[in-house]
Amino acid sequence: SEGASKVSLLKKVPALKDGDFTLAECTAILLYLSRKYNTPDHWYPSDIQKRAQVDEYLSWHHANIRANAPKTMWIKVLIPLFTGQPLPAEKLQEVMEGLCTSLKQFEERFLQDKAFIVGSEISLADLVAIVELMQPVGVGCDIFEDRPRLMEWRRRVEEAVGKELFFQAHEMILNIKELSNIQIDPQLKEHLAPVLMK
Amino acid sequence: SSGQHRMEDFRKVNALMKVPALRDGSFTLAESVAILLYLTRKFKTPDHWYPSDLQKRAKVDEYLSWQHVNIRGKGSKLFLTKVLLPLLTGQPLPPEKLEEVTEELNVVLKQFEEKFLQDKPFIAGSEVSLADLVALVELMQPVGAGYNLFEERPKLAEWRSRVEEAVGKKLFQEAHEGILKAKNFTTDEIAPELMEHFKHQLLKQ
């Protein structure tokens, strides 16, 4: 139904369709594209140790950064939008604490004093990380503010991707607050509210 | 004590204190998926483990990505809740808690069958791959905790049998000896730092 497809836009982005072939999961899609289009080596280095470090980050990412960062968006914008209830403050506190722990590990274990996660060149690991980390920024939780090392890394990633392209890609996230003004079908609200409150 | 010593060595290799870890000379690696991929490349394992066909490979990647918060996440949550929580609290597990984590796992098991396995012999198609290996290994955790999830799922049970055979039944059995005794774990068998770590994991859930 139409309502469901609007939701799936928020729930299961991204997805790829290549002829008959469909693929979900951001990591899988990026890897597929890097292979299909033979992208420059640094995105997924052919050196097996560097490649392993990208894999290591991509694996850890799911249960950590990806588990925590998007929750800020849910708590601050999407849940109030769909349930009509105000932002739960303790819930946000909880989420921010989880995110802080992940950010600490990110800096100390993965980034350290290197320019990028795998070394001197940007890779899929940095891309996947930054995309997730832009979500709290988009809802006003600027996690880069008190973290100079992360801030520098973000600057480098933006430059490597291309500033204009970077902002285009994040336009929706950075304007997510605009979403609050959208009218949501009351039936959809009713259906989603209990799911979201879990 | 030797337990302490083991813990120190293990921690040097694994800053995240998460089993498993690999050390290859001065190169260290954590995260089981990363380790498996590294090994397939280093030892040029048979193609089916991580198919060179772009689309098959993508299907393996898709599963390996999805599984983190789903099969792996919910399977280990059940294991931690059922086996470790009572050890930590010294109290028996409330039945509603067990029901809750079991239901969460049931939901992802359904997704696994319907989206990833479907009517194929293996996740990527006709041959076993890393996706099947990782899936089955993670499912052994709730099994080890006493949840017979294969019992009423014949398709899954058949798939399990095929994967075990592809790996080698004896080797598979050996690898899972420990986890299959998990129900009988006592606090003595677990290093205190590891218990602390599991406590954090449980609280995160």
Side-chain angles (χ1 to χ4, degrees):
Chain A
S1 86
E2 218 188 76
S5 64
K6 281 187 197 133
V7 174
S8 75
L9 209 68
L10 293 167
K11 269 178 72 179
K12 274 266 178 258
V13 186
L16 172 143
K17 198 172 163 74
D18 189 359
D20 279 337
F21 179 64
T22 58
L23 193 64
E25 295 295 320
C26 181
T27 298
I29 292 170
L30 287 171
L31 290 170
Y32 177 78
L33 293 174
S34 73
R35 286 160 184 148
K36 179 155 184 173
Y37 297 105
N38 266 312
T39 56
D41 189 69
H42 64 81
W43 288 114
Y44 197 52
S46 43
D47 173 84
I48 66 167
Q49 287 188 2
K50 283 215 171 100
R51 181 167 286 198
Q53 287 175 322
V54 175
D55 290 333
E56 187 184 35
Y57 179 75
L58 293 176
S59 175
W60 176 87
H61 174 84
H62 287 95
N64 294 279
I65 298 285
R66 188 178 173 192
N68 290 311
K71 282 184 189 166
T72 55
M73 193 167 73
W74 283 99
I75 300 267
K76 283 195 95 172
V77 177
L78 296 171
I79 289 182
L81 180 64
F82 282 99
T83 63
Q85 308 212 5
L87 144 77
E90 333 75 60
K91 212 60 176 92
L92 180 63
Q93 166 95 338
E94 204 180 291
V95 165
M96 287 311 289
E97 270 168 25
L99 182 54
C100 285
T101 305
S102 295
L103 287 170
K104 192 163 185 281
Q105 280 187 348
F106 178 78
E107 277 198 70
E108 294 177 2
R109 164 74 181 166
F110 293 99
L111 188 58
Q112 297 168 339
D113 290 312
K114 297 168 278 160
F116 298 99
I117 292 171
V118 163
S120 55
E121 287 187 283
I122 192 174
S123 72
L124 292 181
D126 305 282
L127 205 60
V128 164
I130 198 102
V131 161
E132 226 56 76
L133 291 177
M134 289 308 285
Q135 294 194 42
V137 174
V139 295
C141 300
D142 196 344
I143 49 130
F144 295 101
E145 218 164 44
D146 296 319
R147 295 180 176 91
R149 234 181 359 176
L150 272 194
M151 177 78 103
E152 281 304 302
W153 164 78
R154 171 192 166 170
R155 193 189 45 81
R156 284 189 291 269
V157 173
E158 280 177 16
E159 232 172 274
V161 168
K163 278 198 195 282
E164 207 191 298
L165 180 64
F166 187 85
F167 280 104
Q168 249 179 55
H170 290 100
E171 215 178 299
M172 187 188 149
I173 295 285
L174 291 171
N175 290 310
I176 197 86
K177 286 198 164 138
E178 304 292 318
L179 208 57
S180 317
N181 302 324
I182 291 180
Q183 296 290 359
I184 305 278
D185 181 276
Q187 263 196 337
L188 187 61
K189 257 199 209 186
E190 212 178 279
H191 178 68
L192 279 179
V195 176
L196 287 171
M197 288 316 281
K198 279 197 323 184
Chain B
S1 82
S2 79
Q4 192 80 351
H5 181 73
R6 267 204 323 269
M7 210 59 217
E8 288 294 309
D9 279 352
F10 182 73
R11 219 178 321 181
K12 278 182 209 145
V13 173
N14 196 330
L16 295 169
M17 263 194 72
K18 276 208 162 71
V19 187
L22 172 143
R23 183 197 277 274
D24 189 359
S26 58
F27 177 62
T28 60
L29 194 62
E31 295 295 320
S32 58
V33 168
I35 291 170
L36 287 170
L37 291 170
Y38 177 77
L39 294 173
T40 62
R41 287 158 186 151
K42 178 147 185 179
F43 297 105
K44 297 194 164 58
T45 55
D47 190 69
H48 64 82
W49 288 114
Y50 196 51
S52 42
D53 173 83
L54 222 57
Q55 290 187 1
K56 284 206 174 114
R57 180 169 286 199
K59 284 294 163 187
V60 174
D61 288 334
E62 189 186 45
Y63 179 75
L64 293 178
S65 173
W66 177 85
Q67 61 97 26
H68 288 287
V69 300
N70 294 286
I71 295 284
R72 180 182 176 189
K74 303 304 178 186
S76 60
K77 186 174 178 181
L78 191 148
F79 178 84
L80 290 174
T81 306
K82 197 162 188 247
V83 176
L84 287 165
L85 193 55
L87 289 181
L88 285 172
T89 60
Q91 309 270 351
L93 183 67
E96 328 81 63
K97 191 69 185 142
L98 181 59
E99 220 179 280
E100 190 188 306
V101 299
T102 306
E103 256 323 288
E104 286 183 33
L105 179 57
N106 287 341
V107 167
V108 306
L109 283 171
K110 190 162 187 278
Q111 289 175 342
F112 176 71
E113 281 198 69
E114 294 177 358
K115 178 167 163 58
F116 293 97
L117 190 55
Q118 298 168 337
D119 288 313
K120 298 166 279 156
F122 299 102
I123 293 168
S126 56
E127 288 186 283
V128 76
S129 71
L130 290 182
D132 307 282
L133 195 65
V134 167
L136 186 53
V137 163
E138 292 301 339
L139 289 174
M140 295 312 283
Q141 277 201 43
V143 169
Y147 178 37
N148 265 321
L149 59 99
F150 290 105
E151 216 165 54
E152 283 167 21
R153 295 180 173 89
K155 249 198 334 186
L156 270 195
E158 277 165 32
W159 163 79
R160 170 186 175 171
S161 185
R162 285 190 289 269
V163 179
E164 282 189 31
E165 227 172 281
V167 168
K169 277 199 192 281
K170 189 157 170 246
L171 180 63
F172 189 86
Q173 207 88 318
E174 255 177 59
H176 291 97
E177 227 175 273
I179 202 85
L180 290 172
K181 295 191 190 133
K183 280 176 297 193
N184 305 317
F185 276 179
T186 61
T187 44
D188 305 328
E189 284 159 299
I190 306 176
E193 294 92 337
L194 210 53
M195 280 299 263
E196 266 310 299
H197 170 72
F198 286 137
K199 211 157 100 178
H200 281 298
Q201 286 291 91
L202 271 171
L203 292 173
K204 271 206 304 192
Q205 307 290 357

